[in-house]
Amino acid sequence: TGKCYHTFRGHSAEIVCLSFNPQSTLVATGSMDTTAKLWDIEKGEEVATLSGHSAEIIALSFNTTGDRIITGSFDHTVAVWDVATGREQNILIKMPTNNNIGGKYELLWDAVTGAHIATLAGHSDEVLDVCFDYAGQRVATASADGSARVYNAETKQCIAKLEGHEDEISKVS
């Protein structure tokens, strides 16, 4: 019908990312105001504010069971949050700001330990987005170089290079 059921208000700056939990009962929003918020879809109410990053939150996603959410920030950290309490569980990654890798590579990390697993190379410009397929067997990347790539998550090898856009690709799903 196109009817708007709820308008979620509460961030003090632009919302730049969002994600639904697997049960479609919550939506999470990440903002330039350095916070993420969890919203009850049915009630249209804020459930929790996730505070702890010192810079903009630019990416977020629920885990497959919906009891944790992971956020990525311009403060060079990735944090894991407990959905039930809204509390930060741990900081997985603290990236150095002066590394030699830049943004042309996608780094894979173990979500439990925070250990670096692999570096996926191939793009000639910044990697702007990344996602796993639902089975966790493939990783897709989008880049400012105008291409997308698909990698085998086990072997870390590029299995497809998708070209044809004239400008950057900012999202992949």
Side-chain angles (χ1 to χ4, degrees), residues 122-123 127 129 139-151 158-165 167-173:
H123 287 291
V127 174
D129 196 26
V139 180
T141 58
S143 174
D145 69 10
S147 74
R149 291 177 181 261
V150 180
Y151 297 86
C158 180
I159 56 176
K161 184 177 179 183
L162 311 173
E163 298 178 300
H165 288 281
D167 208 346
E168 71 181 28
I169 301 173
S170 58
K171 290 289 180 188
V172 65
S173 179

Coordinates of all heavy atoms in Angstrom, one line a residue, residues 122-123 127 129 139-151 158-165 167-173:
G122 N 43.1 -6.8 -4.9 CA 42.6 -6.7 -6.3 C 42.1 -5.4 -6.7 O 42.2 -5.0 -7.9
H123 N 41.4 -4.6 -5.8 CA 40.9 -3.4 -6.2 C 42.0 -2.3 -6.4 O 43.0 -2.4 -5.7 CB 39.9 -2.9 -5.2 CG 38.6 -3.6 -5.3 ND1 37.7 -3.5 -6.3 CD2 38.0 -4.5 -4.4 CE1 36.6 -4.3 -6.1 NE2 36.8 -4.9 -4.9
V127 N 37.9 0.3 -1.1 CA 36.8 -0.6 -1.0 C 35.7 0.1 -0.1 O 36.0 0.6 1.0 CB 37.2 -1.9 -0.3 CG1 36.0 -2.8 0.0 CG2 38.2 -2.7 -1.2
D129 N 32.3 -1.1 0.3 CA 31.3 -1.9 1.0 C 31.7 -3.4 0.8 O 32.4 -3.7 -0.1 CB 29.9 -1.7 0.4 CG 28.8 -2.2 1.3 OD1 29.0 -2.3 2.5 OD2 27.7 -2.5 0.7
V139 N 32.5 -13.7 -0.3 CA 32.5 -12.4 0.1 C 32.5 -11.5 -1.1 O 33.2 -11.7 -2.1 CB 33.9 -12.1 0.9 CG1 33.9 -10.6 1.3 CG2 34.1 -13.0 2.0
A140 N 31.6 -10.5 -1.1 CA 31.5 -9.6 -2.2 C 32.0 -8.2 -1.8 O 31.7 -7.8 -0.6 CB 30.1 -9.4 -2.7
T141 N 32.7 -7.5 -2.6 CA 33.2 -6.2 -2.3 C 32.8 -5.2 -3.4 O 32.6 -5.6 -4.6 CB 34.8 -6.2 -2.3 OG1 35.3 -6.6 -3.5 CG2 35.3 -7.1 -1.1
A142 N 32.6 -3.9 -3.0 CA 32.3 -2.8 -3.9 C 33.4 -1.8 -3.8 O 33.8 -1.5 -2.7 CB 30.9 -2.2 -3.6
S143 N 33.8 -1.2 -4.9 CA 34.9 -0.3 -4.9 C 34.7 1.0 -5.6 O 33.9 1.1 -6.6 CB 36.2 -1.0 -5.4 OG 37.3 -0.2 -5.5
A144 N 35.5 2.0 -5.2 CA 35.5 3.3 -5.9 C 36.2 3.1 -7.3 O 36.1 4.0 -8.1 CB 36.3 4.3 -5.1
D145 N 36.8 2.0 -7.6 CA 37.4 1.8 -8.9 C 36.3 1.3 -10.0 O 36.7 1.1 -11.1 CB 38.5 0.7 -8.8 CG 38.1 -0.7 -8.5 OD1 36.9 -1.0 -8.5 OD2 39.0 -1.5 -8.3
G146 N 35.0 1.3 -9.6 CA 34.0 1.0 -10.5 C 33.8 -0.5 -10.7 O 33.0 -0.9 -11.6
S147 N 34.4 -1.3 -9.9 CA 34.2 -2.8 -10.0 C 33.7 -3.4 -8.7 O 33.9 -2.8 -7.6 CB 35.5 -3.5 -10.4 OG 36.4 -3.5 -9.4
A148 N 33.2 -4.6 -8.8 CA 32.8 -5.4 -7.6 C 33.6 -6.7 -7.8 O 33.9 -7.1 -8.9 CB 31.3 -5.6 -7.5
R149 N 33.9 -7.3 -6.7 CA 34.6 -8.6 -6.8 C 33.9 -9.6 -5.8 O 33.3 -9.2 -4.8 CB 36.1 -8.5 -6.4 CG 36.9 -7.7 -7.4 CD 38.3 -7.5 -7.0 NE 39.0 -6.7 -7.9 CZ 39.8 -7.3 -8.9 NH1 40.0 -8.6 -8.9 NH2 40.5 -6.5 -9.7
V150 N 34.0 -10.9 -6.2 CA 33.5 -11.9 -5.4 C 34.6 -12.9 -5.0 O 35.4 -13.3 -5.9 CB 32.3 -12.7 -6.0 CG1 31.8 -13.8 -5.1 CG2 31.2 -11.8 -6.5
Y151 N 34.8 -13.1 -3.8 CA 35.9 -14.0 -3.3 C 35.3 -15.3 -2.6 O 34.3 -15.2 -2.0 CB 36.8 -13.3 -2.2 CG 37.4 -12.0 -2.8 CD1 36.8 -10.8 -2.8 CD2 38.8 -12.1 -3.2 CE1 37.4 -9.7 -3.3 CE2 39.4 -11.0 -3.7 CZ 38.7 -9.7 -3.7 OH 39.3 -8.6 -4.2
C158 N 39.9 -14.6 -5.5 CA 38.8 -13.9 -6.3 C 38.3 -14.8 -7.3 O 39.0 -15.4 -8.1 CB 39.4 -12.6 -7.0 SG 38.2 -11.7 -7.9
I159 N 37.0 -15.0 -7.3 CA 36.3 -15.9 -8.2 C 35.5 -15.2 -9.3 O 35.1 -15.8 -10.3 CB 35.4 -17.0 -7.5 CG1 34.4 -16.3 -6.6 CG2 36.3 -17.9 -6.7 CD1 33.4 -17.3 -6.0
A160 N 35.3 -13.9 -9.1 CA 34.6 -13.1 -10.1 C 34.9 -11.6 -10.0 O 35.0 -11.1 -8.9 CB 33.1 -13.3 -10.0
K161 N 35.2 -11.0 -11.1 CA 35.4 -9.5 -11.2 C 34.3 -9.0 -12.0 O 34.1 -9.3 -13.2 CB 36.8 -9.2 -11.8 CG 37.1 -7.7 -11.7 CD 38.5 -7.4 -12.3 CE 38.8 -6.0 -12.3 NZ 40.1 -5.7 -12.8
L162 N 33.5 -8.1 -11.4 CA 32.3 -7.6 -12.0 C 32.6 -6.1 -12.5 O 32.8 -5.3 -11.6 CB 31.1 -7.7 -11.1 CG 30.9 -9.0 -10.4 CD1 29.8 -9.0 -9.4 CD2 30.6 -10.1 -11.5
E163 N 32.6 -5.9 -13.8 CA 33.0 -4.6 -14.3 C 31.9 -4.1 -15.2 O 31.1 -4.9 -15.7 CB 34.3 -4.7 -15.1 CG 35.5 -5.1 -14.2 CD 36.7 -5.2 -15.0 OE1 36.8 -6.0 -15.9 OE2 37.7 -4.5 -14.6
G164 N 31.8 -2.8 -15.4 CA 30.9 -2.2 -16.3 C 30.3 -0.9 -15.9 O 29.8 -0.1 -16.7
H165 N 30.4 -0.6 -14.6 CA 30.0 0.7 -14.1 C 31.0 1.8 -14.5 O 32.2 1.5 -14.6 CB 29.8 0.7 -12.6 CG 28.6 0.0 -12.1 ND1 27.4 0.5 -12.2 CD2 28.5 -1.3 -11.6 CE1 26.5 -0.4 -11.7 NE2 27.2 -1.5 -11.4
D167 N 31.4 4.6 -12.8 CA 31.8 5.3 -11.6 C 31.9 4.4 -10.4 O 31.7 3.1 -10.6 CB 30.9 6.5 -11.3 CG 31.5 7.6 -10.5 OD1 32.6 7.5 -10.0 OD2 30.9 8.7 -10.5
E168 N 32.1 4.8 -9.2 CA 32.2 4.0 -8.0 C 31.0 3.2 -7.8 O 29.9 3.6 -8.1 CB 32.6 4.8 -6.8 CG 31.5 5.7 -6.3 CD 31.9 6.5 -5.1 OE1 33.1 6.8 -4.9 OE2 31.0 6.8 -4.2
I169 N 31.2 2.0 -7.1 CA 30.1 1.2 -6.6 C 30.1 1.4 -5.1 O 31.1 1.0 -4.5 CB 30.3 -0.3 -7.0 CG1 30.3 -0.4 -8.5 CG2 29.1 -1.1 -6.4 CD1 30.6 -1.8 -9.0
S170 N 29.1 1.9 -4.5 CA 29.1 2.2 -3.1 C 28.5 1.2 -2.2 O 28.8 1.1 -1.0 CB 28.5 3.6 -2.8 OG 27.1 3.6 -3.3
K171 N 27.7 0.3 -2.8 CA 27.0 -0.7 -2.0 C 27.0 -2.1 -2.7 O 26.9 -2.1 -3.9 CB 25.6 -0.3 -1.6 CG 25.4 0.8 -0.6 CD 25.8 0.3 0.7 CE 25.7 1.4 1.8 NZ 26.3 1.0 3.0
V172 N 27.0 -3.1 -2.0 CA 26.9 -4.5 -2.5 C 26.1 -5.3 -1.5 O 26.2 -5.1 -0.3 CB 28.3 -5.1 -2.8 CG1 29.1 -5.3 -1.5 CG2 28.2 -6.4 -3.6
S173 N 25.3 -6.2 -2.1 CA 24.4 -7.1 -1.2 C 24.3 -8.4 -1.8 O 24.2 -8.6 -3.0 CB 23.1 -6.4 -1.0 OG 22.2 -7.2 -0.2

